[in-house]
Amino acid sequence: MTKTPAAIMKELRKVHIRTPREAALKEMLERMFEEDGGGNVTHEPVRFTDDSETHGIAFIEGSGGGKTTAIRKTLKAFDPLSTNPETGQPRWLQVKVESPATLRSLGVDMLKKLEIDQVSDRAKVYEIWELVRRRLRILGVTLVWIDEAQDMFKETMAAETQSMFKMLKGLMQGDHPVVVVLSGTERLKEITSLDAQVNRRFSKICPPQLEFAADNDLVEAITVAFAKKAGLKVDFSGETNNRIIRAGRHRFGRCIYLILKAIEAALHDKATTLTLQHFELAYGMEEGCEISANIFAVADWTSIVQPDDEEPAVPKAGAKRGRKRKALT
């Protein structure tokens, strides 16, 4: 039976492209946890500064770069934290910051993840975070991942921001200190640098953005691989790779998303070949833009300013990048 476009797209969305960022994160994680006598990494955090504190990781990348997927895949595959035999649950916890966030709301959200559904409105903030630390100890959780962490911080020197810094340091100290992973946009780097103690405790991962010329072969290889899995041939000029990078705001994750949307357009068009026109259709539907503002429809596409532009529009010639992406898995 011939698969429907929906069925094909469901399979494609399950595909994960391993990148150097996963390897860098795995290496950092291994440095954050103690080894046993046989040289195997354990779930016990390494303690620094006279055994008084743990360290953490800040994964910083623009929106749509793919950092959340990369972190989740890496943590799921990190054996020392995979399962606590006493609870049957992982030894790591993920919490996503919901904006606007306060210290109370973040603590309550974390408690829900730690199996505490009800928190009294009269509970003081320090009591909430004492309970968070107690639950982390009871459940044997030794890594806490805070996603969209830039939304924890409001004005740079506001009292709430200082309280957030104090909370982070508190999680990384005491009887049951944990490794903290923060992930967020470039603003996260600016905010954490305001507190010297917080800044020194976090190793940074800042994946480079895609560049014209340097990453064209990568984008083309990924497009061809996905198209082949969908049963499509590929027919477009080399310049299309630049357009894909530009349309994806130079972000790895956004480029992958656009490629998949173009393939979906081709499948619904009952086409046998993925063409520039399918990218034009996909981009137009996603952006809701006029044809004159469609990067895949006009000759002077480098002059188009996208609504959430953060990168220069003019292509820069450059040597092909040495870093490699691993095969689709």
Side-chain angles (χ1 to χ4, degrees), residues 50-61:
D50 196 27
D51 286 343
S52 64
E53 65 182 37
T54 60
H55 281 187
I57 301 168
F59 198 117
I60 300 164
E61 188 176 25

Side-chain angles (χ1 to χ4, degrees), residues 212 238-247 250 283 292-306 312-316:
F212 296 118
E239 185 196 35
T240 302
N241 296 316
N242 278 342
R243 295 184 189 235
I244 293 172
I245 291 172
R246 180 65 190 137
H250 298 251
Y283 185 82
S292 59
N294 191 311
I295 286 175
F296 297 94
V298 298
D300 188 22
W301 58 273
T302 60
S303 65
I304 294 174
V305 177
Q306 296 166 294
V314 180
K316 295 181 181 178

